[in-house]
Amino acid sequence: MDIKKLLTGGITGGVLFFLLGWLIYGMLLMNFMTAHPGAAGNIAKAEPDFLYLVIGNLAMGFFMAYIFIRANVNSLGAGFITAGVIGLLMAVGYDCMIYATSTAISKTGMAVDVAASTAMSAITGACVGAVLGMGKKAA
């Protein structure tokens, strides 16, 4: 495995997940998600623990870069489609399990989270795919 590509793709993905999460969840959907809590009510922290937020986003970036390297995804288009499908399936799986086992999320919140997670993954995947394809030799 090319460690340089893993580091470059993983850090790129982590930074993009962080920035898109701030934009989508922290700005665009903040009021919507607050207005559509699960039965537990609004359980969000007043301020996130940024250390763990950074660690989580970097882990997601490295997860995506690892999959892309193993699957030879190295273009903007392939990254967009591959990450969109991965993001959709992971969000549906995670959100359905959270909805089934807790009162932390409503059905409406779950549907919006799946859409937002899919979009974040697809956009990040496009960028990671493009970064991984940089410098490849033309056939």
Side-chain angles (χ1 to χ4, degrees):
M1 172 159 308
D2 187 342
I3 296 300
K4 182 179 175 186
K5 284 197 179 281
L6 180 64
L7 287 171
T8 305
I11 291 169
T12 299
V15 168
L16 281 166
F17 271 123
F18 184 87
L19 292 174
L20 288 171
W22 167 76
L23 175 65
I24 293 171
Y25 290 105
M27 301 298 280
L28 300 175
L29 293 177
M30 183 169 47
N31 292 335
F32 179 85
M33 294 304 250
T34 301
H36 294 87
N42 185 1
I43 59 172
K45 290 182 175 183
E47 288 293 323
D49 189 333
F50 280 99
L51 172 63
Y52 292 98
L53 195 56
V54 168
I55 291 169
N57 281 289
L58 283 171
M60 292 297 292
F62 278 94
F63 174 68
M64 183 177 288
Y66 178 80
I67 290 172
F68 280 17
I69 291 168
R70 301 290 293 176
N72 200 29
V73 174
N74 53 21
S75 70
L76 188 127
F80 183 84
I81 298 296
T82 304
V85 170
I86 291 168
L88 172 68
L89 294 174
M90 289 191 63
V92 167
Y94 177 80
D95 283 344
C96 284
M97 287 186 282
I98 292 300
Y99 181 78
T101 61
S102 76
T103 58
I105 193 168
S106 68
K107 284 183 185 175
T108 303
M110 178 176 60
V112 170
D113 184 62
V114 167
S117 294
T118 301
M120 273 179 52
S121 295
I123 293 166
T124 301
C127 294
V128 171
V131 165
L132 293 177
M134 293 171 96
K136 70 178 182 180
K137 296 178 182 171

